[in-house]
Amino acid sequence: MRTLCALILLLLLLPSFASAEEQPYPFDDPYRATVLGTPAKLRYQFADPVLPDVRAIRIEGRNVPEVFEYSRDMNFSTALQDHAAPLIFIIAGTGAEHNSGKMLFLTEVFYEAGYHVVALSSPTHMNFVVSASTHGVAGYVPFDVDDLNRVMGWIREELAKECEITGYSLAGYSLGALHAAFLAKRDEETREFGFRKVVMINPPVSLYRSVKRLDSWLTEENLGRTSVHNEIAGFIDRFSDYYLHAEVTDLDDDFLYDMITDINLDQRDFKTLIGAAFRVSSASMIFSSDVCLRAGYLVPPGHYPLRTASPLLGYARQAFDISFEDYLNEFLLPYLRYNDPTATRSGVLERSSLEFIRDWLAETPKVVVAGTRDDVILDAADVRFLETVFGERAHLFEHGGHCGNMMHPAFVRTLKELVQQ
Amino acid sequence: MSLRVFSLFLPAVLVLTIMSGCGPKVVDVTDPQAGLEPTGFQTQVHHWPEENSNSWVFLEVDDPWEPMNRNLYEINATLDKYVMLPAATLYKVFIPSVVRSGVKNFIANLNEMPVAFNSVLQGRMEKAAISFSRFLINSTFGLLGVRDLASRNKKLPRQSEDFGQTLGYWGIGSGPYFVMPILGPSNVRDAAGFGGDILILYAEMTMIYQATGIENNRPLDMTDLIIRGINLRANTAFSYHSTGSPFEYEMVRFIYTKKRELDIQR
């Protein structure tokens, strides 16, 4: 009888189980996935959402140009447990800030997993370049890693006064994942933090190769005869037209999502959008570096000093048209050679690739990867690299593009498992 | 909570906010290596701005007062960081979300009248009827507007019309871009329109005070203003310098101008 009751109960419960069953990640096209991410309805729901605090570090006496006065302090966010706990630093991807959508989400994930969380902007984000970078130049991984390490040291010192920290871990997505790997390698030698877990989310293998891919989508190869300027003007017309005829009152994320799904963008459009978004970040980074260094790249020496009141549209136009290849050849390499005449192009590129620390990664169990097999910033050889080097420690999902499935419950579960004690 | 308690309570929150010196907690550190001292490095290749460049022409907006506007933008950003945003955050932390959505709906309901009035001025009777029906439904069944029942009817979505749009509808150009103190992006036409909407609201509030027999309405007006301010900030997703771009002013200017242009056509 008991068994029968249990069986009936089970049958009664089944339909509700079935409806609560998790839906798989919806997008097979990696470019669509990269742009649209995880639809709000399918996202992982946090039991007890936390509101992170925004804090800042100010380097005394730093010569911040007046035009960037608002960016004098390096901002970061924290979500601290009210009991003793390990602390995890998370590092944002290219051009992203400590409290961008993805970073807020990751902050919640690791907070829910029981960590004190410190979220840091990418060293390629304007605020980091202006307020914290030693050289004022971003995109060279060894410099970026030194800067991150220094900043993390200050933050640790400050937070140790407020909460009990039982150990340190590290995570990052996209370029931030690459930074995390190099930080962990560096820490292996200095033993400053003694990181226990290092989670790389959708890392590039080689910064240079990945960025070249993004850049290629704004060239003839993807666009054919039309220019990227015309393409973007075209997008603005299509978006405007949609808005004119849509029944909306609020321009929120839902609206943007509906719009992008409704106006039937094809793969070429998605590639263009990803490439253009990357360009907007890199333009910000390049202009910020140029002004901090007064290197005369975008701003002629006669235009200085730039003030709060100075119009900047002319520089923005120029900056958007600079590919990473150009930046590398015209700004970054010359700067590195100016600092160290023995610097070579191949040496610089090598030091910005996981291949450089391949042997160490292969034999270090604490470093793990969570990513996707169809990540748009990776080529087939890169995916093979991750699989061979990390073996069982590479947790690759079939679909999701670049960080598109990050908010999907299956991905979140993987992340939490990877950092569980 | 009675209005009188509210009127005592909210200015107190505001004063506390200002006194507690809000904004992010800043830690000072020293690092002689990171002083950003001049290096003398110069690139050999340049991408200097070109005169009369015709790329990105659509980003250009009539902005003859740009230097003043940019300064105002920064002043607004600073005020927002230390006053409005902290006040909105405190409001979100201490006031339960049921109360906050009640306040939001109550204010939105009062704002239906200017929308209806502007729709009439543009001869858009259907829009006017929708706004007016919403006002009637929410003021009665929605408990003086605290609940937004009208939005449950798919045929009665909230409309958005203001005096700036009315002026635009009748062919008045936008005039130069103008960053309003505290309120931010605007242009000459929309700033004038904002004044118009304030007058309509003032007339509406005066009628409400008369109807309810309130004689001394000055404290209530102040409270109304402060609650409106906090409510507006708490329900606006934008925050200054969150684009991570040194060209934020240009982006905001373009998006504001484009959106207003489309809103007038809608």
Side-chain angles (χ1 to χ4, degrees):
Chain A
M1 194 61 200
R2 240 175 67 257
T3 341
L4 193 65
C5 279
L7 207 68
I8 291 170
L9 200 67
L10 189 72
L11 282 174
L12 281 174
L13 283 173
L14 262 183
S16 70
F17 273 128
S19 65
E21 190 186 304
E22 181 180 305
Q23 291 192 43
Y25 185 72
F27 307 123
D28 292 347
D29 175 352
Y31 300 96
R32 178 178 287 270
T34 304
V35 174
L36 293 178
T38 309
K41 276 179 217 145
L42 302 184
R43 279 182 204 160
Y44 179 82
Q45 297 297 320
F46 296 99
D48 191 11
V50 62
L51 192 68
D53 286 327
V54 177
R55 300 169 181 243
I57 282 180
R58 173 178 298 186
I59 299 176
E60 281 173 16
R62 187 172 164 94
N63 278 319
V64 173
E66 188 199 295
V67 65
F68 296 152
E69 185 56 43
Y70 57 84
S71 214
R72 171 175 289 277
D73 300 338
M74 194 214 71
N75 301 318
F76 62 100
S77 41
T78 60
L80 305 179
Q81 307 283 347
D82 52 11
H83 49 79
L87 183 147
I88 192 165
F89 290 102
I90 45 182
I91 303 159
T94 312
E97 202 172 10
H98 61 97
N99 57 358
S100 68
K102 287 193 177 75
M103 286 298 276
L104 272 178
F105 187 86
L106 289 175
T107 302
E108 299 248 31
V109 170
F110 295 119
Y111 181 82
E112 197 168 88
Y115 282 81
H116 298 306
V117 185
V118 172
L120 298 169
S121 301
S122 169
T124 58
H125 185 271
M126 166 200 190
N127 177 242
F128 197 102
V129 173
V130 171
S131 67
S133 159
T134 307
H135 291 270
V137 172
Y140 180 50
V141 172
F143 285 0
D144 293 349
V145 163
D146 285 349
D147 287 335
L148 281 166
N149 196 79
R150 198 166 41 104
V151 163
M152 284 158 52
W154 287 326
I155 294 174
R156 164 168 78 167
E157 204 175 300
E158 190 57 28
L159 294 185
K161 296 174 195 162
E162 294 173 34
C163 59
E164 197 181 326
I165 301 166
T166 58
Y168 295 91
S169 288
L170 198 53
Y173 75 86
S174 193
L175 178 58
L178 186 94
H179 288 141
F182 278 90
L183 276 164
K185 173 71 168 65
R186 178 198 155 110
D187 192 64
E188 193 79 359
E189 288 140 29
T190 63
R191 299 270 163 200
E192 254 182 286
F193 291 93
F195 295 116
R196 292 189 194 157
K197 299 268 163 71
V198 180
V199 185
M200 303 166 68
I201 304 166
N202 286 92
V205 171
S206 148
L207 170 61
Y208 178 69
R209 271 204 304 279
S210 290
V211 165
K212 286 279 281 183
R213 277 174 75 86
L214 296 171
D215 262 337
S216 75
W217 300 334
L218 298 186
T219 60
E220 267 176 49
E221 195 184 305
N222 183 46
L223 296 178
R225 233 175 290 160
T226 159
S227 77
V228 58
H229 297 196
N230 291 337
E231 275 301 294
I232 290 177
F235 280 126
I236 290 174
D237 289 343
R238 283 162 80 182
F239 295 157
S240 301
D241 197 53
Y242 180 81
Y243 176 68
L244 273 181
H245 301 104
E247 268 294 341
V248 281
T249 36
D250 298 315
L251 288 193
D252 52 12
D253 287 351
D254 290 341
F255 169 76
L256 288 178
Y257 185 85
D258 290 345
M259 176 172 80
I260 291 188
T261 358
D262 288 353
I263 61 177
N264 292 323
L265 299 174
D266 59 18
Q267 195 176 80
R268 172 175 166 281
D269 294 331
F270 281 117
K271 281 180 167 178
T272 314
L273 284 175
I274 301 169
F278 177 74
R279 269 297 169 79
V280 171
S281 318
S282 82
S284 301
M285 177 188 93
I286 296 170
F287 178 72
S288 306
S289 281
D290 186 41
V291 174
C292 285
L293 259 63
R294 291 205 181 194
Y297 190 47
L298 286 161
V299 186
H303 288 201
Y304 282 108
L306 290 182
R307 303 283 185 202
T308 303
S310 310
L312 304 179
L313 186 59
Y315 312 118
R317 281 180 167 139
Q318 294 292 327
F320 185 88
D321 287 339
I322 298 173
S323 67
F324 191 82
E325 182 79 52
D326 292 342
Y327 169 68
L328 182 73
N329 294 329
E330 298 166 358
F331 192 113
L332 188 57
L333 279 175
Y335 176 78
L336 295 172
R337 288 207 188 100
Y338 181 81
N339 256 349
D340 170 12
T342 65
T344 63
R345 183 186 162 92
S346 60
V348 166
L349 297 185
E350 217 183 354
R351 281 177 177 76
S352 298
S353 164
L354 294 180
E355 284 140 356
F356 192 65
I357 51 172
R358 178 189 180 121
D359 295 344
W360 181 78
L361 292 172
E363 63 192 29
T364 310
K366 67 180 173 189
V367 188
V368 295
V369 173
T372 43
R373 225 174 283 277
D374 65 355
D375 192 333
V376 301
I377 69 164
L378 303 178
D379 60 26
D382 292 334
V383 177
R384 263 201 309 284
F385 175 93
L386 293 179
E387 286 174 334
T388 343
V389 173
F390 292 92
E392 299 254 289
R393 290 178 284 127
H395 303 263
L396 300 180
F397 289 75
E398 276 321 303
H399 298 296
H402 187 58
C403 300
N405 62 337
M406 186 192 267
M407 301 187 183
H408 189 257
F411 198 86
V412 175
R413 272 197 304 277
T414 301
L415 287 181
K416 286 171 88 172
E417 278 160 22
L418 292 177
V419 295
Q420 290 311 343
Q421 304 305 298
Chain B
M1 200 185 297
S2 75
L3 279 175
R4 184 165 301 168
V5 178
F6 242 138
S7 69
L8 290 171
F9 179 67
L10 272 152
V13 169
L14 197 70
V15 169
L16 272 178
T17 312
I18 297 166
M19 282 171 58
S20 63
C22 275
K25 188 181 173 200
V26 182
V27 177
D28 284 312
V29 296
T30 49
D31 182 352
Q33 300 296 308
L36 220 54
E37 301 300 334
T39 61
F41 167 70
Q42 291 284 302
T43 60
Q44 300 304 306
V45 186
H46 313 297
H47 298 268
W48 292 345
E50 287 158 15
E51 291 286 322
N52 309 319
S53 156
N54 58 6
S55 68
W56 304 116
V57 267
F58 61 86
L59 286 177
E60 281 171 16
V61 171
D62 179 27
D63 189 3
W65 308 320
E66 182 166 356
M68 176 192 76
N69 280 336
R70 296 189 84 103
N71 281 322
L72 280 167
Y73 189 88
E74 269 328 296
I75 291 168
N76 289 347
T78 309
L79 276 174
D80 189 59
K81 182 175 170 185
Y82 292 104
V83 185
M84 274 87 84
L85 203 54
T89 308
L90 281 183
Y91 177 67
K92 283 193 220 171
V93 170
F94 288 110
I95 311 286
S97 73
V98 195
V99 179
R100 278 184 279 126
S101 67
V103 170
K104 183 183 164 191
N105 290 336
F106 180 77
I107 291 172
N109 189 50
L110 290 176
N111 289 346
E112 297 284 1
M113 288 326 273
V115 175
F117 192 67
N118 280 300
S119 303
V120 171
L121 290 180
Q122 295 174 36
R124 294 175 161 177
M125 291 311 165
E126 198 190 322
K127 277 188 158 225
I130 292 177
S131 292
F132 197 66
S133 317
R134 289 177 54 86
F135 182 75
L136 287 182
I137 294 171
N138 285 339
S139 300
T140 52
F141 301 113
L143 311 171
L144 299 178
V146 170
R147 300 188 64 197
D148 180 10
L149 298 178
S151 290
R152 291 185 191 173
N153 185 339
K154 286 260 180 287
K155 284 180 188 153
L156 296 176
R158 173 167 295 131
Q159 304 296 308
S160 144
E161 291 295 336
D162 55 44
F163 203 61
Q165 289 179 52
T166 300
L167 295 174
Y169 178 84
W170 291 107
I172 294 178
S174 64
Y177 184 68
F178 174 53
V179 176
M180 293 206 282
I182 301 176
L183 294 162
S186 190
N187 53 48
V188 171
R189 178 197 62 211
D190 293 344
F194 177 74
D197 287 320
I198 293 287
L199 283 179
I200 301 171
L201 263 179
Y202 186 79
E204 183 192 351
M205 293 312 287
T206 309
M207 282 192 277
I208 291 175
Y209 292 144
Q210 272 170 2
T212 49
I214 296 172
E215 300 253 315
N216 180 9
N217 58 14
R218 182 160 291 177
L220 264 182
D221 276 342
M222 278 310 288
T223 316
D224 183 51
L225 188 69
I226 291 167
I227 298 177
R228 275 174 185 273
I230 294 180
N231 171 62
L232 185 66
R233 190 61 193 98
N235 292 301
T236 306
F238 178 79
S239 63
Y240 285 94
H241 300 305
S242 64
T243 55
S245 172
F247 311 120
E248 182 171 290
Y249 175 89
E250 283 80 2
M251 292 179 181
V252 169
R253 180 175 68 185
F254 167 69
I255 292 169
Y256 176 82
T257 306
K258 187 76 192 170
K259 180 171 184 298
R260 290 298 290 178
E261 196 184 298
L262 296 172
D263 280 338
I264 288 165
Q265 287 178 45
R266 256 155 74 98

